[in-house]
Amino acid sequence: MKKINIGLFGFGCVGQGLYETLNNSKNFAGEIKKICIKNAEKSRSLPRRLFTIDKEEIIRDPEIDVIVELIDDANAALEIVTSSLKNGKSVVTANKKMVAENLEFLVKLQNETGKAILYEGAVCGSIPIIRTLEEYFGHEPLDEVKGIFNGSTNYILTKVFNENLDYDEALRQAQSLGFAESDPTLDVKGFDAKYKLSILLTHAFGIYVKPESIVNLGIDHLKNTDLEYAREKGFKVKLIAQARRIDDKVFAFVAPQFIGHNDSLSSIDNEFNAVSLTGDFCDEQLFIGKGAGSLPTGAAVLSDISALSYDYKYEYKKFYNLGQLPFSNESLLKVYVSFNSPQEIDLSDFESIHDKYFSFDHSYVVGNICISRLLEKKWLNNPNNNVVLCENSRQLQLGNLCVASLNTEIEDLKKGQVLLEKITV
Amino acid sequence: MKKINIGLFGFGCVGQGLYETLNNSKNFAGEIKKICIKNAEKSRSLPRRLFTIDKEEIIRDPEIDVIVELIDDANAALEIVTSSLKNGKSVVTANKKMVAENLEFLVKLQNETGKAILYEGAVCGSIPIIRTLEEYFGHEPLDEVKGIFNGSTNYILTKVFNENLDYDEALRQAQSLGFAESDPTLDVKGFDAKYKLSILLTHAFGIYVKPESIVNLGIDHLKNTDLEYAREKGFKVKLIAQARRIDDKVFAFVAPQFIGHNDSLSSIDNEFNAVSLTGDFCDEQLFIGKGAGSLPTGAAVLSDISALSYDYKYEYKKFYNLGQLPFSNESLLKVYVSFNSPQEIDLSDFESIHDKYFSFDHSYVVGNICISRLLEKKWLNNPNNNVVLCENSRQLQLGNLCVASLNTEIEDLKKGQVLLEKITV
């Protein structure tokens, strides 16, 4: 095995994790030759000669074989990756946003340059899901990919359900322990999970779907009354990313879901992630591991560098084998929607309503709504309104066309009547 | 990708599963050219011209690229595999006994012939554990590999604990549903799990350990009183295969264990298998999937055939990276041993005794015993005596030398006193 000289961009949490795993791996024939950082003044744990602020010094160094890109900024990351591949260097990255938003372009660039880009660390940290999809399920028709893809929100929801905390207190605890960012928007609104889902859609179903085409509902509108509702019914709430193939169309979404205690995802707690695959032959497979953190993600990056040493590249087998299945948002989901006042949601967006409940401190409807309506957001952006999916994937209903069927009951609601009742149709 | 001509040995459960997965895979460039069977008279679901009883017709066919060996008989399987590799053909097999007993020889044969043998289907059916260990954890120091490796016994124990059946009734149900063989010895005595553990020892820790050097305690001595004891304490019993690296020695064993409800293996039920890896960087990873069955194992075999199409072979990275760690049975395990009469067990085999309980229908001791003593069996073969491990791996104790420390209490027991008491030291 040839020795690999690594040029590293970024020396934050994952970069330092990579450095540590690399130094503690037996017989790994590689070393970090240079590290490009943004801030030259910041004090570093390694000798000064290892660092540079000039990216060209790394990209144009003929002795450097592999570029490892571990910075936050997705646009800058794309520039580094593009210019590295064009300079004949293979790349390892953990930047999920950059990969998700540019995957079709990055695949073309790999084909043009003959160089590889690997990004196992971008999806669910230490869980080897991309490699497994490529190598092991490359020929198996998959029906579903589903899981808990974000550790911060899972930590928050675990605190909420296992320790009976309210959402704000759980978020504060997660932040103080470093499990959530000081600006938690990308996590709690489901963007982070959506980027990962978008990447897996390519490796599991062979399609490119831009993140903007996938609906992401977050957990930041969860109210205490929603939590009580879930507890009463014997559910937990988990933020689930899900993709399914139905009649050779692919549907995908990120949303909080009520999860029963028998569900295999119910016991995945704290910062752990889980990915469940359901295939025609293998039935359900579940992969559980730490989804984030310095060492788990560093180890995923290291395993990609190691794979480059024997010229491994993703073959995007599903893309070539399945012939571009269409992606669609025209399917119905059964959702629970809580609100302060019926005027704040547009019930004509629903295909049908199953349950209605109104009281002074907790009002909700349960009904079927089309994914494409959820994507438009509209009243969903109102923090008084919260959506939780009711059904797990097995009952996902396929609708070819979404037409809200208004009936008199809904008309009554729209007039603002507050009824202390619960109707189940 | 070149088209692969397959020569198949055996057309039982897995062979037929392979045929079905192959025919339902999109764009898989391969086909079964000939199938060697033992019994020419048996009626088959495929055209007669596909079958032969002459193994040379397959092994010497220059058009056949890959031999897939799926027969029961381990000795005959070894002959087929050896002569295939020597004839320049790579091999896929699912025969765990053959691989476990001959792995060092098979690795040498691969090196000599330059041909590959892949055997993902031999370990935990649809779970891609060998490939993951090779490709993803090749450089990561692992501390532990542990799991539920046998679907039949897990099905039986699930019935016992979830439906309160006794052992015999659960075994009968498992047999009538095809989850246990009519002769269940290899499963219920832990041999099947041991073969798989022996194979994983090579891929996780880089050592060859013959199955005969690994202790396997089964579930066939479980009495109703043992089950009641477990239920009272809030445990389930699971048949666990486990290997740990402690101070750069490797320990391994297969035994029933008391498993608390918070243990990640507690909820793995029915015919599912699970493999847990604990590594220096990734922390705990858990892989769950169907451990046996026609299609799941067929899919594992298919993924190996697919890997051969791009000349994949196992690199046995740990073997070359870790420098042959010593395997040892000189470690203490805390065990619960139930018996009918104290004369039937030799308490001098114990290093120490923690609990003793005697009554007319249920008597047991809890104490520390060295793995090497368990390996000798002696009184363990007596079906009146049953052993269950008390501790999970985190408390596994390392003993350099096992000397049973007899004390007066134990001497009392050996005199056959029956005391209605329970002492906890």
Side-chain angles (χ1 to χ4, degrees):
Chain A
M1 199 190 285
K2 62 192 182 202
K3 187 180 160 225
I4 300 177
N5 284 314
I6 299 162
L8 175 61
F9 283 83
F11 199 59
C13 170
V14 179
Q16 291 171 49
L18 171 65
Y19 186 85
E20 192 171 329
T21 54
L22 216 158
N23 280 350
N24 289 288
S25 293
K26 297 245 175 166
N27 290 4
F28 182 77
E31 74 175 319
I32 295 175
K33 202 185 165 205
K34 207 85 188 178
I35 305 171
C36 183
I37 47 172
K38 208 160 59 179
N39 183 349
E41 308 307 317
K42 206 162 154 185
S43 93
R44 306 283 175 179
S45 53
L46 299 178
R48 242 193 145 71
R49 59 172 169 76
L50 270 175
F51 294 93
T52 177
I53 54 165
D54 175 15
K55 65 180 182 177
E56 297 300 322
E57 197 184 328
I58 289 182
I59 292 174
R60 301 202 177 277
D61 183 341
E63 284 183 4
I64 284 179
D65 312 293
V66 169
I67 303 293
V68 178
E69 179 285 301
L70 299 173
I71 65 174
D72 278 340
D73 181 333
N75 293 329
L78 182 63
E79 267 182 44
I80 293 164
V81 169
T82 306
S83 110
S84 300
L85 289 170
K86 286 185 173 168
N87 270 279
K89 296 188 195 306
S90 287
V91 174
V92 175
T93 176
N95 198 311
K96 59 214 75 163
K97 183 165 191 270
M98 185 271 289
V99 175
E101 288 182 338
N102 303 285
L103 192 45
E104 189 164 10
F105 166 75
L106 292 171
V107 172
K108 276 198 193 122
L109 202 58
Q110 289 179 82
N111 290 338
E112 282 165 25
T113 61
K115 290 290 151 184
I117 166 170
L118 303 181
Y119 39 83
E120 189 68 75
V123 181
C124 299
S126 65
I127 302 177
I129 188 63
I130 300 177
R131 206 88 66 85
T132 300
L133 281 169
E134 279 290 311
E135 295 311 298
Y136 204 77
F137 293 98
H139 293 287
E140 175 157 357
L142 292 175
D143 297 317
E144 186 181 68
V145 174
K146 174 182 171 182
I148 295 170
F149 291 4
N150 180 271
S152 310
T153 48
N154 202 41
Y155 185 88
I156 294 167
L157 292 170
T158 302
K159 288 278 156 192
V160 162
F161 279 89
N162 296 6
E163 297 176 22
N164 272 320
L165 299 187
D166 64 23
Y167 174 80
D168 291 333
E169 176 57 26
L171 172 60
R172 265 194 301 276
Q173 284 196 16
Q175 285 171 325
S176 74
L177 287 166
F179 288 123
E181 308 284 333
S182 52
D183 174 8
T185 313
L186 286 181
D187 292 325
V188 300
K189 287 193 177 291
F191 285 98
D192 176 84
K194 178 163 88 162
Y195 298 141
K196 296 166 181 169
L197 183 63
S198 161
I199 297 170
L200 291 192
L201 280 169
T202 302
H203 293 279
F205 298 105
I207 57 176
Y208 299 114
V209 184
K210 291 268 185 195
E212 70 216 40
S213 305
I214 302 171
V215 69
N216 57 303
L217 305 174
I219 64 167
D220 53 328
H221 293 189
L222 272 175
K223 288 168 284 193
N224 283 335
T225 44
D226 301 324
L227 302 176
E228 274 160 35
Y229 175 89
R231 288 189 191 109
E232 260 174 34
K233 304 252 176 196
F235 292 132
K236 290 181 178 181
V237 175
K238 296 278 187 192
L239 183 64
I240 304 291
Q242 187 164 355
R244 284 206 89 191
R245 190 191 62 177
I246 305 173
D247 293 343
D248 275 339
K249 286 183 191 165
V250 179
F251 304 88
F253 46 85
V254 173
Q257 292 190 27
F258 295 123
I259 297 284
H261 290 291
N262 287 328
D263 193 295
S264 52
L265 298 176
S266 171
S267 58
I268 312 302
D269 279 340
N270 296 313
E271 74 271 35
F272 277 86
N273 279 196
V275 187
S276 154
L277 305 178
T278 308
D280 282 6
F281 313 141
C282 72
D283 208 307
E284 190 186 349
Q285 292 269 329
L286 187 63
F287 303 87
I288 303 166
K290 287 211 170 162
S294 179
L295 293 182
T297 311
V301 170
L302 183 65
S303 94
D304 276 350
I305 300 172
S306 165
L308 288 177
S309 73
Y310 57 89
D311 295 323
Y312 178 77
K313 46 175 75 176
Y314 300 139
E315 290 184 61
Y316 301 93
K317 284 183 187 154
K318 295 283 184 184
F319 176 75
Y320 296 104
N321 290 347
L322 291 181
Q324 288 285 294
L325 301 173
F327 176 76
S328 168
N329 279 317
E330 300 306 314
S331 174
L332 294 181
L333 295 177
K334 189 175 170 192
V335 296
Y336 154 104
V337 182
S338 64
F339 48 84
N340 282 0
S341 147
Q343 282 88 347
E344 292 185 321
I345 60 175
D346 187 351
L347 286 164
S348 71
D349 277 345
F350 286 76
E351 179 79 6
S352 59
I353 303 279
H354 304 172
D355 294 14
K356 299 182 294 180
Y357 181 81
F358 299 90
S359 72
F360 292 106
D361 60 352
H362 182 213
S363 299
Y364 67 86
V365 292
V366 173
N368 285 340
I369 195 165
C370 190
I371 300 173
S372 57
R373 295 286 164 102
L374 293 173
L375 191 64
E376 294 161 7
K377 297 273 175 177
K378 302 194 292 188
W379 45 267
L380 279 173
N381 284 326
N382 180 338
N384 290 332
N385 301 331
N386 178 46
V387 175
V388 183
L389 294 203
C390 291
E391 303 281 335
N392 72 36
S393 61
R394 315 285 170 205
Q395 284 96 38
L396 187 73
Q397 293 168 62
L398 178 69
N400 285 318
L401 193 63
C402 291
V403 185
S405 57
L406 291 177
N407 59 32
T408 48
E409 281 185 319
I410 295 177
E411 288 296 336
D412 287 346
L413 299 187
K414 293 173 92 175
K415 289 176 198 141
Q417 288 183 349
V418 178
L419 312 164
L420 203 59
E421 59 163 354
K422 182 176 175 182
I423 303 168
T424 303
V425 182
Chain B
M1 199 190 286
K2 66 191 179 201
K3 187 181 160 227
I4 299 177
N5 284 314
I6 299 162
L8 175 61
F9 283 83
F11 199 60
C13 170
V14 179
Q16 292 172 45
L18 170 66
Y19 185 85
E20 192 171 332
T21 55
L22 216 158
N23 280 351
N24 288 289
S25 293
K26 297 243 178 171
N27 290 5
F28 181 77
E31 73 175 319
I32 295 175
K33 202 185 166 208
K34 208 84 187 177
I35 305 170
C36 183
I37 48 171
K38 211 162 55 179
N39 183 350
E41 307 309 317
K42 208 163 155 184
S43 93
R44 306 285 175 179
S45 53
L46 298 178
R48 244 190 142 73
R49 62 177 166 73
L50 271 175
F51 294 94
T52 176
I53 53 166
D54 175 14
K55 66 180 183 178
E56 297 300 323
E57 197 184 328
I58 289 182
I59 293 175
R60 301 203 177 276
D61 182 341
E63 285 181 3
I64 284 179
D65 311 293
V66 169
I67 303 293
V68 177
E69 179 286 300
L70 300 172
I71 65 174
D72 279 339
D73 180 332
N75 293 330
L78 181 63
E79 268 183 45
I80 292 165
V81 169
T82 306
S83 112
S84 300
L85 290 170
K86 287 187 173 166
N87 270 278
K89 297 189 195 308
S90 286
V91 173
V92 175
T93 175
N95 197 312
K96 57 214 78 161
K97 183 167 191 269
M98 185 271 289
V99 174
E101 289 184 337
N102 301 285
L103 192 44
E104 189 163 11
F105 166 75
L106 292 172
V107 172
K108 278 200 191 120
L109 203 56
Q110 289 179 81
N111 290 340
E112 283 165 23
T113 61
K115 291 291 152 183
I117 166 170
L118 303 181
Y119 39 83
E120 188 68 75
V123 181
C124 298
S126 65
I127 302 176
I129 188 64
I130 299 178
R131 205 89 67 83
T132 300
L133 282 169
E134 279 289 311
E135 295 312 298
Y136 204 78
F137 294 98
H139 293 286
E140 175 156 358
L142 293 175
D143 297 318
E144 186 181 69
V145 174
K146 173 181 169 182
I148 295 170
F149 292 4
N150 180 270
S152 310
T153 48
N154 203 40
Y155 185 89
I156 294 168
L157 292 170
T158 301
K159 288 278 156 189
V160 162
F161 279 90
N162 295 8
E163 297 177 20
N164 273 320
L165 299 187
D166 65 22
Y167 173 80
D168 291 332
E169 175 56 26
L171 172 60
R172 262 193 302 276
Q173 283 196 15
Q175 286 171 324
S176 75
L177 287 165
F179 288 124
E181 307 284 333
S182 52
D183 175 8
T185 313
L186 286 181
D187 293 323
V188 299
K189 287 191 175 293
F191 285 98
D192 175 84
K194 177 163 87 161
Y195 298 141
K196 295 167 181 169
L197 182 63
S198 161
I199 296 171
L200 291 190
L201 279 169
T202 302
H203 293 278
F205 298 105
I207 57 176
Y208 299 114
V209 184
K210 292 267 184 194
E212 69 215 41
S213 305
I214 303 171
V215 69
N216 58 302
L217 305 174
I219 63 167
D220 53 326
H221 293 188
L222 272 174
K223 286 167 284 193
N224 284 334
T225 44
D226 301 324
L227 302 176
E228 275 160 34
Y229 174 90
R231 289 190 191 108
E232 261 175 32
K233 304 250 174 195
F235 292 131
K236 289 181 180 182
V237 174
K238 296 278 188 192
L239 184 65
I240 305 290
Q242 187 165 354
R244 286 207 85 191
R245 190 192 61 178
I246 305 172
D247 294 343
D248 275 338
K249 284 183 193 165
V250 179
F251 304 88
F253 45 87
V254 172
Q257 292 190 26
F258 295 124
I259 297 285
H261 290 290
N262 287 328
D263 192 296
S264 51
L265 298 178
S266 170
S267 58
I268 312 302
D269 279 340
N270 295 314
E271 74 271 35
F272 277 87
N273 279 195
V275 186
S276 154
L277 306 179
T278 308
D280 282 7
F281 313 141
C282 72
D283 208 303
E284 189 186 352
Q285 292 269 329
L286 187 62
F287 303 87
I288 303 166
K290 286 211 170 163
S294 178
L295 293 182
T297 311
V301 170
L302 183 65
S303 94
D304 276 351
I305 300 172
S306 166
L308 288 177
S309 72
Y310 56 91
D311 295 324
Y312 178 78
K313 45 177 76 177
Y314 301 139
E315 291 184 61
Y316 301 92
K317 285 183 186 154
K318 296 284 183 182
F319 176 76
Y320 295 104
N321 291 347
L322 292 180
Q324 287 285 292
L325 302 173
F327 176 76
S328 168
N329 278 316
E330 298 305 312
S331 174
L332 293 180
L333 296 177
K334 189 175 170 192
V335 294
Y336 155 103
V337 182
S338 64
F339 49 84
N340 281 359
S341 147
Q343 282 89 346
E344 293 185 320
I345 60 174
D346 187 351
L347 285 163
S348 71
D349 277 344
F350 286 76
E351 180 79 8
S352 58
I353 303 278
H354 304 171
D355 294 12
K356 300 181 293 178
Y357 181 81
F358 299 90
S359 73
F360 292 105
D361 61 351
H362 182 212
S363 299
Y364 67 84
V365 294
V366 173
N368 285 340
I369 194 165
C370 189
I371 300 173
S372 57
R373 293 288 164 102
L374 292 174
L375 191 63
E376 295 161 6
K377 297 275 175 170
K378 301 194 294 188
W379 43 268
L380 279 173
N381 284 325
N382 180 339
N384 290 331
N385 301 331
N386 177 46
V387 174
V388 183
L389 294 204
C390 292
E391 304 281 334
N392 73 36
S393 61
R394 316 285 167 203
Q395 284 95 39
L396 187 74
Q397 295 168 59
L398 179 69
N400 285 318
L401 193 63
C402 291
V403 186
S405 58
L406 292 178
N407 59 33
T408 47
E409 283 185 315
I410 295 175
E411 288 296 336
D412 286 347
L413 298 187
K414 293 174 91 178
K415 288 176 199 141
Q417 286 182 351
V418 177
L419 312 165
L420 204 60
E421 59 161 358
K422 181 177 174 181
I423 304 166
T424 303
V425 182

